Amino acid sequence: MSAKSWAIDIDRDDITQARLVEDAGAPLAPEQVRVHLDSYAMTANNITYAVFGKPAGLFGNDQGYWDFFAEGNTPGRLPVWGFATITESTAEGVSVGDRFYGYYPMAKGAVLNVGKAGPGGFTDVTPRRTTLPPIYNNYQRIEALPDYRAADHEYWPVFRPLFLTGWLIADQFEDENDYGVQQILIASASSKTAIGLGFALKQRADRPETIGLTSAANVDALAAQGIYDRVASYDQIMTLNATTPAALVDMAGNGAVTRAVHSHFGGQLQASIVVGKSHWDAQADGEGLPGPERQGFFAPGRIQKRSAEWGGAAFGQKIAEAWLGFMDVAPRLAAIDKRRGGDAALAAYHEMLSGAADPKTGIIIEP
């Protein structure tokens, strides 16, 4: 099936149930484009999208991540970040051969409804998408990306959305005067979002100490990257200084790690932030925890806040500068693992779902 047009359908109620299906393309309606996905990344972030595919209150309405690319009575189509080329167009301002970075379904191709087309790109105006966060609906021309460099091409799908999330978390800490803490514990510290956070925090001269928490097998390799001030294994949490005010940022939503940190630090834990849910099958175990109430972090909300406060151009400039700085070190942080076709795409999804994927690699699928 890999040679044909394909997509991957996922059971909305059981995300372990995914299958490769043939995706027959219908004729385009006016103001639509058909794209071929050139490459996309498969990361733990995509598992979070699957976990929150059904409505979970993230968007302030009765929608979830499945609503981007599938109607409510059909199997889910997992959103992924990547590059695509226009292969057919009935939309003014978008031509065959144009290339865009953006949010696509896990498939060989897709049909998008074009609105607000211009030199920088366009917005998808599919009705069910207009009530979802705008950042997910924008498709940017590669030539118009101010911080795009050809040498970084493969790192864009792998790192860009995750680095942005990490940078936004670091910005929130600075905005909140670091919640009054002297140390920031970052769980699932080998994840790409955590690395983005650690890198962004490290750029500040005056900041709390960063402590990356990871499995024992990852400690030495992660410490060698120099992203965090210290790296500790999960079984060393109880040896950390519990008299020093601390904050926890949990990239995986692992209840066991959360409970260990809350129990150890108690009242000295000033903030507990959950970013993702890549450990989708781990017990949440959030009731009766000592210390602060856990709070979720939602990147689109933070983007809207800073864009309103700084202006879109200024916000974009800050991100561009931070991203280019990160790209100078990204190649030593993760190797690129390219895979091709629908069968490889399905296998990569299951690999990420099971936790078997190597965090030191970035999986790129070329449909």
Side-chain angles (χ1 to χ4, degrees):
M1 187 178 294
S2 295
K4 301 177 182 178
S5 184
W6 56 264
I8 293 176
D9 281 351
I10 300 175
D11 190 311
R12 292 171 181 249
D13 298 314
D14 181 359
I15 63 174
T16 67
Q17 300 302 308
R19 63 191 183 98
L20 195 62
V21 298
E22 186 171 347
D23 192 34
L28 295 186
E31 297 304 308
Q32 287 188 328
V33 294
R34 193 183 315 278
V35 303
H36 173 271
L37 270 72
D38 302 318
S39 62
Y40 70 82
M42 175 54 55
T43 70
N45 185 50
N46 300 105
I47 303 307
T48 295
Y49 293 153
V51 171
F52 295 110
K54 298 173 73 172
L58 288 176
F59 304 144
N61 54 30
D62 61 352
Q63 292 179 284
Y65 283 100
W66 295 139
D67 291 297
F68 283 98
F69 299 113
E71 297 294 343
N73 59 348
T74 62
R77 294 276 171 93
L78 187 69
V80 294
W81 290 94
F83 292 100
T85 299
I86 304 297
T87 58
E88 188 180 352
S89 175
T90 60
E92 185 176 352
V94 182
S95 302
V96 171
D98 290 351
R99 298 186 302 157
F100 295 88
Y101 171 77
Y103 210 48
Y104 299 101
M106 190 163 57
K108 189 171 185 177
V111 172
L112 307 174
N113 291 279
V114 175
K116 302 179 183 178
F122 67 90
T123 299
D124 188 293
V125 292
T126 302
R128 68 174 182 276
R129 293 184 66 169
T130 59
T131 50
L132 292 163
I135 185 176
Y136 296 121
N137 296 333
N138 294 330
Y139 293 84
Q140 299 170 281
R141 293 183 190 273
I142 294 180
E143 299 81 4
L145 293 168
D147 47 352
Y148 174 83
R149 300 182 303 200
D152 306 330
H153 185 84
E154 292 171 343
Y155 287 91
W156 268 77
V158 170
F159 267 118
R160 178 66 173 204
L162 307 179
F163 173 79
L164 176 58
T165 299
W167 186 91
L168 291 166
I169 299 166
D171 174 68
Q172 179 167 301
F173 267 89
E174 188 170 14
D175 197 28
E176 297 289 342
N177 296 313
D178 297 315
Y179 298 94
V181 307
Q182 297 172 32
Q183 52 186 341
I184 301 174
L185 315 180
I186 303 173
S188 195
S190 62
S191 72
K192 295 173 180 62
T193 306
I195 287 172
L197 169 59
F199 179 88
L201 287 170
K202 195 172 184 179
Q203 308 314 301
R204 289 175 48 193
D206 183 18
R207 58 169 175 79
E209 179 186 28
T210 57
I211 303 174
L213 300 178
T214 188
S215 61
N218 291 335
V219 168
D220 291 343
L222 191 59
Q225 292 181 348
I227 296 295
Y228 307 104
D229 297 318
R230 281 196 288 155
V231 177
S233 63
Y234 294 129
D235 57 12
Q236 292 176 321
I237 288 173
M238 295 304 183
T239 69
L240 299 176
N241 186 351
T243 66
T244 301
L248 170 66
V249 183
D250 182 8
M251 299 297 175
N254 190 323
V257 173
T258 300
R259 180 163 291 278
V261 172
H262 276 252
S263 299
H264 183 56
F265 284 89
Q268 287 291 72
L269 192 66
Q270 304 301 306
S272 181
I273 300 169
V274 183
V275 181
K277 189 63 175 148
S278 58
H279 288 183
W280 59 276
D281 54 350
Q283 174 63 37
D285 196 23
E287 295 184 6
L289 290 175
E293 182 177 349
R294 294 190 298 168
Q295 58 178 290
F297 180 83
F298 187 50
R302 188 75 193 168
I303 290 171
Q304 290 176 321
K305 178 180 187 296
R306 281 312 201 190
S307 295
E309 293 172 347
W310 296 340
F315 175 78
Q317 182 61 35
K318 287 178 182 288
I319 291 296
E321 292 174 357
W323 171 252
L324 290 175
F326 181 66
M327 279 297 95
D328 288 339
V329 304
R332 70 173 174 82
L333 302 178
I336 298 298
D337 176 7
K338 287 186 181 180
R339 308 181 187 184
R340 187 181 297 274
D343 294 318
L346 183 59
Y349 171 73
H350 283 297
E351 184 177 327
M352 195 63 62
L353 194 67
S354 69
D358 185 349
K360 297 186 293 297
T361 65
I363 298 176
I364 288 287
I365 303 297
E366 296 179 334

